[in-house]
C-alpha cells in the first residue's frame, strides 16, 4: 500500500539547496532564476516576488508566490527561508508539493535540516495520484530520511462515497504510523477502521509492505466461515517471497470437526513459461470417509521451448473421490493427467500427447478407464496450386490400454485434396476428395453378435475413400432500412458402404450430435474409429434480415442417405435414409435482446428431439438470462434417458450502488431444483460488499446438500475480508 509514502519532503531540500548560489550574485535577487546544478538534466527554476540574502545571519529568504521547479517536481509556498549556518529549510504558508507521480502534498509549515534530510511537518494533507486522501496533525523525518513518523493520521480513498457532511464511507485512523524505507514496511499503532464515522474495528498493531514492494514474505488476510460437515473454518495463508520469479503460499485451514488441513501453492515463472503446484493434506474421520490420510496434488507446467515447440503438462491426483468437494478445493468430477508436446511450423502441426483420466463419480470404474499414450497427430496443409487446389495430409497414431476391456493400437493416414471455385454469378463451389487408411492391432474386442462373449485379437484395417462437393449461393436484397439475405446450401458425398468392422473397437466415436454444423461434416462421427460410409446429399437454407441495430438469422437443413447406416444409434437421427431436421434461429435487437434457438425435429412427425434456448434481455439496469435444454431419450449416443433442464439468472441495479442478483437451476425431467442463489452487492469507488446465499441439493457419499452464506468486504488499497458459512443436511455412511 502506498498510502503514507508521499509524506517524505526530501525533495524540498533538493529544490532549495541551490538558492545559496543564486543569492551570491545579488543581494536583492530578481524575480526569476534558472540554475544548472551538477546534473545538467536537473535544472532548477526558481520564482518569487522577492528574495533577500541576509549575509550577517547567513539567511536566504524568498517571499510572495514562491515556486521552485526541478524536473517534474514543483514546490510552492508563501515564504521559504534557508538558514545556511544550521542547514535549516523552513517553508510556511500554503505549502504545496507536486510529485512526478501525480501526488500532491499540502502543509501549513515544514522545517527540514537539509543535508541530513530530517525535520518536522505540521498539518499535512495529501492528495494521492489515485485520488485517495490522507491527513495528519504532524510528521517527523528521522535517521537521514529513512523513517517517517506520523501522528494522528487519517486515510481514505473514498471520493464519491461521502455523506453530506463530508464523512467518507470508510477511513482508517491511527495514533501513530511509521514508514521504514529501509525495510520498506509501514507500521500502525492503535489503528481504527471507521464506517460512516463509527469505529468498527480496532487493532493495536499491524504492518504491511509499502507501495514500492510488489511482493513480501508475511501473512495474508485470513478468512473464516463455517460448514455443516467441517464445523468452523479459519484460513491463515502465509506468503514466502522466495525470489522475484518464485513464491510459496502455505495455508493452514483449521476446522472444528475435521482438525487441521494444510494447503500449499508454489509458483514459478521462467523466461519461457510457468510452473504452478497446488496441494493439501489432512487426516480424515475414518467413520465417515473410510480414508485416514486424505489430500490432493495438482500441477501445471507450460513451456515454450523455442519458436516451434512448446510443452504443457498437468497432474491431478486425489486420495479419494469426494475429498476435493468435501473440503471445498474443487467441484470437478474427473481428474486429468497429461503431457503434451506440440509444434507449429508454417502450415504444419505436430502433437504428441499422453493422457490418464480418473473419474470421481460413484459409477466410475478405474479398471475400465483407458490410458492413452502415445497420441501422435501430424497435420500438413499444402500451398495452393495454380488452379487454387490444395492438398492436406493427416496422420494419427494411438495406443490405448486398460485393465478390464479392449485394448487397441491405431495408425491412421488420411490424404485429401480440395479446390474452391467462385463463378461470375456468385456461386461458391468446393470440390474435395480424400483417402483414409487405418490399421489396428486390437486385443479382447467383443465381437458384435458374437456368442458366449466371443472376443477377437489381432490385426484389422480398412480403406475409406471419399469424393464430394459443396455449393452455396449467397443472395442479398435491400428493402428500405433492412437487407434481406438468402443462401441455399447443397452438398453431395460419395463413399463405399460400410467401413466399420466389428473387430475395430469404438473408443472415440461413441457420441454423435446432429446439428446445423455437423450436418455438413465429412464424417459425422466425432472421432476416427467410426467412418460414415455410403452416399448422401445434404441441403439447407439460410435466411436473414439485417437492420441498422438488429438482425435475425435462421437456418434449416437435412440430409438424405441412399442407404441406411445402422452403425448410428437409433436416437441419433442419422440411422435412416432421411435425417432429422436441424436448424437454428438467432435474433438480436439493439443490444437489448438476444435469442439463440437450436433445434432438432423428427423427420416424420416434426416432434422435438432436441431444443436448446439461450436468451438475454436488458432493460435499463435489469438483465435477465435464460438457458433451456431438452434432449430426447437416446439422442446422440443412445446412452442417456430424457434430459430436460432450465437455468435462469437475474441481476438488476436497485440504485447506482446497490445490485441484486438471483439464479436457479432446475431439472424438469426429475422435478427437483439442483441449486439456487441469491446475492446482494454494494459497490462504490472505495468499497465493495458482497452477500450471497447458495443452496445446493447435490449429494454424493460424504458430500451432503449444503446451504452456504458468503460475505465479502473489499477495501480499496487495503485488501479483502471474507467469511463463508455452510450448513448442510446430515448424512449417514452407507
Amino acid at each position: 500500500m502506498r498510502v503514507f509514502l508521499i509524506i517524505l519532503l526530501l525533495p524540498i531540500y533538493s529544490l532549495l539547496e541551490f538558492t545559496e548560489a543564486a543569492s551570491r550574485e545579488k543581494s536583492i535577487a530578481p524575480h526569476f532564476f534558472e540554475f544548472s546544478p551538477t546534473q545538467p538534466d536537473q535544472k532548477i527554476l526558481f520564482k518569487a516576488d522577492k528574495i533577500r540574502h541576509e549575509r550577517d545571519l547567513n539567511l536566504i529568504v524568498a517571499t510572495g508566490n514562491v515556486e521552485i521547479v526541478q524536473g517534474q517536481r514543483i514546490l510552492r509556498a508563501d515564504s521559504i527561508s534557508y538558514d545556511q549556518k544550521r542547514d535549516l529549510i523552513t517553508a510556511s504558508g500554503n505549502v504545496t508539493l507536486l510529485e512526478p507521480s501525480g501526488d500532491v502534498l499540502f502543509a501549513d509549515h515544514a522545517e527540514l535540516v537539509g543535508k541530513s534530510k530530517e525535520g518536522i511537518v505540521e498539518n499535512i494533507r495529501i492528495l494521492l495520484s489515485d485520488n485517495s486522501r490522507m491527513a495528519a496533525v504532524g510528521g517527523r523525518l528521522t535517521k537521514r530520511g529513512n523513517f517517517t513518523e506520523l501522528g494522528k493520521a487519517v486515510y481514505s480513498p473514498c471520493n464519491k462515497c461521502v455523506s453530506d457532511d463530508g464523512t467518507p464511507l470508510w477511513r482508517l485512523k491511527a495514533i501513530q504510523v511509521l514508514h521504514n524505507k529501509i525495510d520498506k514496511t509501514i507500521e500502525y499503532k492503535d489503528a481504527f477502521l471507521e464506517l460512516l464515522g463509527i469505529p468498527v474495528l480496532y487493532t493495536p498493531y499491524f504492518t504491511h509492505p509499502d507501495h514500492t514492494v510488489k511482493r513480501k514474505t508475511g501473512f495474508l488476510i485470513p478468512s473464516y466461515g463455517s460448514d455443516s460437515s467441517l464445523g468452523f473454518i479459519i484460513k491463515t495463508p502465509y506468503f514466502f517471497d522466495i525470489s522475484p520469479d518464485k513464491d510459496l503460499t502455505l495455508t493452514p485451514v483449521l476446522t472444528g470437526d475435521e482438525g487441521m488441513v494444510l494447503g500449499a501453492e508454489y509458483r514459478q515463472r521462467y523466461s519461457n513459461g510457468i510452473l504452478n503446484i497446488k496441494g493439501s493434506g489432512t487426516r480424515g474421520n475414518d467413520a465417515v470417509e473410510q480414508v485416514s490420510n486424505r489430500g490432493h496434488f495438482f500441477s501445471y507446467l507450460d513451456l515454450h521451448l523455442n519458436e516451434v515447440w512448446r510443452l504443457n503438462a498437468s497432474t491431478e491426483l486425489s486420495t479419494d473421490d469426494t475429498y476435493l468437494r468435501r473440503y471445498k478445493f474443487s467441484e470437478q468430477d474427473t481428474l486429468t493427467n497429461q503431457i503434451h508436446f506440440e509444434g507449429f511450423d508454417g502450415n504444419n502441426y505436430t502433437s504428441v500427447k499422453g493422457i490418464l483420466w480418473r473419474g470421481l463419480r460413484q459409477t466410475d470404474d478405474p479398471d475400465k478407464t483407458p490410458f492413452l499414450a502415445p497420441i501422435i497427430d501430424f497435420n500438413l496443409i499444402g500451398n495452393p496450386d495454380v488452379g487454387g487446389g490444395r492438398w492436406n495430409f493427416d496422420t494419427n497414431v494411438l495406443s490405448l490400454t486398460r485393465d478390464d476391456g479392449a485394448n487397441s493400437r491405431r495408425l491412421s493416414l488420411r490424404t485429401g485434396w480440395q479446390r474452391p471455385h467462385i463463378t461470375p454469378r456468385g456461386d461458391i463451389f468446393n470440390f474435395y476428395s480424400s483417402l483414409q487408411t487405418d490399421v489396428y492391432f486390437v486385443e479382447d474386442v467383443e465381437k458384435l453378435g458374437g456368442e458366449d462373449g466371443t472376443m477377437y485379437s489381432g490385426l484389422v484395417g480398412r480403406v475409406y475413400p471419399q469424393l464430394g462437393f459443396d455449393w452455396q449461393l449467397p443472395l442479398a436484397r435491400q428493402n428500405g432500412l433492412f437487407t434481406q439475405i438468402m443462401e441455399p446450401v447443397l452438398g453431395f458425398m460419395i463413399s463405399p458402404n460400410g467401413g466399420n468392422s466389428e473387430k475395430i473397437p469404438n473408443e472415440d466415436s461413441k457420441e454423435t450430435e446432429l446439428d446445423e454444423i455437423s450436418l455438413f461434416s465429412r464424417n459425422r462421427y466425432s472421432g476416427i474409429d467410426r467412418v460414415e460410409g455410403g452416399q448422401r446429399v445434404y441441403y439447407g437454407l439460410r435466411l436473414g434480415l439485417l437492420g441498422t441495430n438488429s438482425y435475425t438469422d435462421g437456418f434449416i437443413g437435412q440430409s438424405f442417405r441412399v442407404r441406411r447406416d445402422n452403425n448410428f444409434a437409433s436416437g441419433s437421427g442419422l440411422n435412416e435414409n432421411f435425417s432429422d431436421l436441424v436448424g437454428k434461429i438467432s435474433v438480436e435487437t439493439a443490444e437489448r435482446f438476444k435469442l439463440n434457438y437450436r433445434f432438432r425435429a423428427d423427420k416424420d412427425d416434426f416432434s422435438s428431439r432436441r431444443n436448446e434456448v439461450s436468451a438475454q434481455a436488458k432493460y435499463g439496469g435489469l438483465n435477465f438470462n435464460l438457458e433451456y435444454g431438452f434432449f430426447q431419450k437416446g439422442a446422440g449416443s443412445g446412452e442417456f434417458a430424457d434430459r430436460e433442464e432450465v437455468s435462469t439468472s437475474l441481476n438488476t441495479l436497485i440504485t447506482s450502488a446497490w445490485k441484486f442478483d438471483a439464479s436457479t437451476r432446475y431439472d424438469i425431467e426429475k422435478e427437483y431444483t439442483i441449486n439456487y442463489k441469491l446475492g446482494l452487492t454494494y459497490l462504490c469507488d472505495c468499497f465493495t460488499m458482497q452477500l450471497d446465499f447458495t443452496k445446493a441439493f447435490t449429494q454424493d457419499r460424504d458430500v451432503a446438500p449444503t446451504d452456504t452464506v458468503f460475505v465479502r468486504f473489499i477495501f480499496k488499497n487495503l485488501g479483502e475480508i471474507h467469511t463463508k458459512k455452510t450448513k448442510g443436511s446430515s448424512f449417514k455412511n452407507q
Side-chain angles (χ1 to χ4, degrees):
M1 196 185 81
R2 40 180 289 181
V3 177
F4 300 102
L5 305 183
I6 313 306
I7 303 165
L8 302 180
L9 295 181
L10 308 181
I12 294 179
Y13 173 71
S14 64
L15 295 174
L16 294 178
E17 58 186 348
F18 299 102
T19 59
E20 179 181 1
S23 63
R24 293 196 185 109
E25 298 294 330
K26 297 182 180 180
S27 60
I28 302 299
H31 299 299
F32 177 89
F33 275 119
E34 179 175 302
F35 301 98
S36 297
T38 55
Q39 298 179 357
D41 59 339
Q42 291 293 318
K43 291 184 177 181
I44 304 298
L45 182 64
F46 183 91
K47 293 191 296 183
D49 293 343
K50 186 177 180 181
I51 300 176
R52 73 175 186 274
H53 185 186
E54 300 180 5
R55 298 182 182 275
D56 295 339
L57 300 176
N58 288 325
L59 184 66
I60 300 173
V61 179
T63 58
N65 299 314
V66 183
E67 179 176 291
I68 303 175
V69 180
Q70 181 184 21
Q72 296 181 346
R73 183 177 288 110
I74 302 173
L75 173 66
R76 296 190 180 102
D78 292 341
S79 65
I80 294 177
S81 65
Y82 176 43
D83 188 331
Q84 297 172 287
K85 184 176 182 180
R86 293 190 296 166
D87 195 21
L88 175 65
I89 298 173
T90 302
S92 300
N94 299 314
V95 180
T96 303
L97 177 64
L98 287 75
E99 290 284 353
S101 62
D103 302 325
V104 184
L105 181 146
F106 306 91
D108 292 343
H109 183 78
E111 293 184 2
L112 294 176
V113 180
K115 294 181 180 179
S116 62
K117 300 180 181 179
E118 298 182 355
I120 60 173
V121 183
E122 297 179 2
N123 196 14
I124 310 167
R125 290 90 63 200
I126 302 175
L127 175 63
L128 302 179
S129 58
D130 63 352
N131 287 326
S132 299
R133 291 171 170 81
M134 72 161 301
V137 173
R140 183 175 62 172
L141 307 178
T142 60
K143 298 184 180 180
R144 303 189 60 82
N146 290 318
F147 288 81
T148 301
E149 297 180 15
L150 294 178
K152 297 182 179 180
V154 180
Y155 166 76
S156 177
C158 300
N159 293 296
K160 298 180 180 179
C161 300
V162 178
S163 62
D164 294 337
D165 62 358
T167 303
L169 177 66
W170 71 267
R171 59 188 173 191
L172 185 66
K173 288 185 175 181
I175 301 300
Q176 186 178 6
V177 178
L178 175 63
H179 174 214
N180 186 333
K181 288 190 63 178
I182 299 176
D183 294 338
K184 297 182 179 180
T185 59
I186 299 177
E187 300 177 2
Y188 304 80
K189 295 181 179 179
D190 294 321
F192 294 84
L193 177 65
E194 291 187 355
L195 292 178
L196 298 175
I198 302 174
V200 296
L201 183 65
Y202 166 78
T203 177
Y205 175 85
F206 78 95
T207 182
H208 62 77
D210 66 26
H211 78 294
T212 64
V213 178
K214 294 183 178 180
R215 313 182 325 159
K216 189 175 180 67
T217 299
F219 282 101
L220 304 179
I221 296 178
S223 62
Y224 56 93
S226 66
D227 183 272
S228 59
S229 58
L230 301 179
F232 69 83
I233 303 173
I234 300 177
K235 296 182 181 181
T236 55
Y238 191 87
F239 178 80
F240 292 91
D241 180 21
I242 302 174
S243 67
D245 62 335
K246 60 180 71 75
D247 59 58
L248 172 67
T249 303
L250 295 180
T251 307
V253 182
L254 179 63
T255 67
D257 297 336
E258 297 294 329
M260 178 70 72
V261 182
L262 179 62
E265 180 179 9
Y266 174 81
R267 303 183 303 176
Q268 183 167 355
R269 180 172 291 278
Y270 306 96
S271 59
N272 62 336
I274 58 172
L275 170 66
N276 186 277
I277 299 176
K278 295 181 180 180
S280 68
T282 186
R283 186 171 182 83
N285 186 339
D286 293 348
V288 178
E289 296 89 358
Q290 299 180 351
V291 179
S292 57
N293 297 317
R294 310 184 77 184
H296 84 286
F297 178 85
F298 284 9
S299 68
Y300 178 76
L301 174 68
D302 188 5
L303 293 177
H304 291 256
L305 305 177
N306 52 44
E307 294 183 355
V308 175
W309 290 96
R310 70 181 183 184
L311 162 69
N312 60 74
S314 63
T315 303
E316 296 181 347
L317 303 174
S318 178
T319 54
D320 54 277
D321 291 351
T322 60
Y323 172 78
L324 295 171
R325 285 175 288 168
R326 177 169 173 78
Y327 288 90
K328 318 305 177 188
F329 287 107
S330 174
E331 294 295 326
Q332 63 194 87
D333 57 13
T334 302
L335 302 181
T336 303
N337 299 274
Q338 69 170 351
I339 182 169
H340 188 197
F341 287 92
E342 59 182 347
F344 304 85
D345 185 12
N347 294 332
N348 306 331
Y349 173 74
T350 305
S351 170
V352 182
K353 184 186 298 186
I355 304 176
L356 175 63
W357 290 287
R358 175 185 172 181
L360 301 181
R361 292 170 294 188
Q362 193 168 11
T363 56
D364 291 329
D365 186 350
D367 291 337
K368 295 182 178 181
T369 302
F371 170 59
L372 285 70
I375 310 171
I376 302 174
D377 287 289
F378 175 72
N379 310 109
L380 182 149
I381 300 177
N383 295 318
D385 55 29
V386 177
R390 186 192 295 264
W391 288 92
N392 65 278
F393 178 74
D394 301 322
T395 302
N396 174 265
V397 177
L398 170 69
S399 175
L400 181 150
T401 58
R402 53 166 62 90
D403 294 335
D404 182 10
N407 301 324
S408 67
R409 283 81 176 173
R410 178 180 72 199
L411 171 62
S412 177
L413 304 175
R414 184 177 183 275
T415 303
W417 176 85
Q418 64 177 352
R419 184 185 186 280
H421 176 69
I422 301 177
T423 68
R425 193 183 70 162
D427 300 85
I428 302 175
F429 290 95
N430 183 38
F431 301 90
Y432 64 89
S433 62
S434 66
L435 178 66
Q436 179 176 327
T437 304
D438 303 319
V439 179
Y440 286 80
F441 177 76
V442 299
E443 298 174 322
D444 300 329
V445 176
E446 185 176 354
K447 295 175 65 176
L448 297 176
E451 298 180 357
D452 301 326
T454 303
M455 311 295 285
Y456 174 79
S457 297
L459 283 172
V460 62
R462 68 172 167 229
V463 177
Y464 173 62
Q466 275 186 323
L467 179 67
F469 77 92
D470 299 324
W471 168 82
Q472 58 193 100
L473 179 62
L475 302 170
R477 183 179 68 178
Q478 188 72 29
N479 185 4
L481 298 177
F482 295 93
T483 301
Q484 299 175 356
I485 300 172
M486 182 175 68
E487 183 180 9
V489 182
L490 175 68
F492 183 80
M493 194 200 77
I494 302 173
S495 62
N497 294 316
N500 293 308
S501 170
E502 62 182 19
K503 299 178 182 179
I504 298 177
N506 183 7
E507 300 288 355
D508 62 5
S509 303
K510 294 182 178 181
E511 185 64 33
T512 58
E513 182 178 0
L514 176 61
D515 56 24
E516 74 281 359
I517 298 175
S518 64
L519 178 68
F520 303 103
S521 298
R522 307 288 186 259
N523 182 16
R524 289 181 287 193
Y525 286 102
S526 57
I528 297 176
D529 288 337
R530 291 291 179 267
V531 296
E532 185 177 1
Q535 302 79 45
R536 72 176 187 267
V537 179
Y538 39 90
Y539 43 86
L541 178 64
R542 179 174 290 109
L543 297 174
L545 186 64
L546 180 64
T548 304
N549 295 312
S550 64
Y551 76 87
T552 302
D553 178 69
F555 174 83
I556 187 169
Q558 190 182 36
S559 67
F560 170 76
R561 299 180 54 83
V562 176
R563 182 178 178 181
R564 293 186 178 185
D565 188 346
N566 294 325
N567 287 295
F568 286 108
S570 59
S572 65
L574 293 169
N575 59 313
E576 299 186 14
N577 297 100
F578 283 95
S579 73
D580 286 343
L581 292 165
V582 294
K584 72 168 186 175
I585 298 174
S586 298
V587 179
E588 181 173 347
T589 60
E591 299 184 353
R592 291 187 177 182
F593 178 76
K594 293 182 180 180
L595 172 68
N596 287 288
Y597 172 52
R598 301 173 65 203
F599 65 88
R600 189 180 121 200
D602 187 273
K603 65 182 185 310
D604 297 322
D605 58 9
F606 304 108
S607 61
S608 177
R609 305 290 297 275
R610 188 190 73 237
N611 283 316
E612 296 177 78
V613 178
S614 173
Q616 301 176 4
K618 298 180 181 180
Y619 182 77
L622 177 66
N623 297 284
F624 177 77
N625 294 273
L626 170 69
E627 300 283 343
Y628 169 81
F630 166 74
F631 300 87
Q632 191 183 52
K633 179 180 180 179
S637 63
E639 297 182 4
F640 301 99
D642 284 358
R643 291 169 289 164
E644 188 173 13
E645 185 177 292
V646 62
S647 61
T648 60
S649 65
L650 170 73
N651 64 79
T652 181
L653 291 174
I654 303 174
T655 67
S656 60
W658 288 94
K659 183 179 75 170
F660 171 78
D661 63 271
S663 63
T664 183
R665 185 178 170 196
Y666 183 76
D667 191 318
I668 300 176
E669 181 65 29
K670 297 181 179 179
E671 298 183 346
Y672 81 93
T673 302
I674 300 173
N675 59 55
Y676 64 80
K677 175 184 175 182
L678 301 173
L680 186 65
T681 303
Y682 177 82
L683 177 65
C684 73
D685 65 325
C686 64
F687 176 74
T688 300
M689 181 194 73
Q690 182 181 353
L691 173 63
D692 290 335
F693 171 75
T694 304
K695 188 175 183 67
F697 296 87
T698 304
Q699 181 170 352
D700 181 12
R701 288 160 284 184
D702 63 335
V703 178
T706 57
D707 298 339
T708 302
V709 177
F710 180 77
V711 183
R712 182 186 190 190
F713 301 99
I714 302 176
F715 296 88
K716 181 181 177 181
N717 295 336
L718 285 187
E720 173 184 336
I721 301 174
H722 66 266
T723 179
K724 181 168 67 174
K725 182 176 182 179
T726 303
K727 180 181 179 181
S729 305
S730 60
F731 58 86
K732 296 181 179 180
N733 190 35
Q734 302 296 324

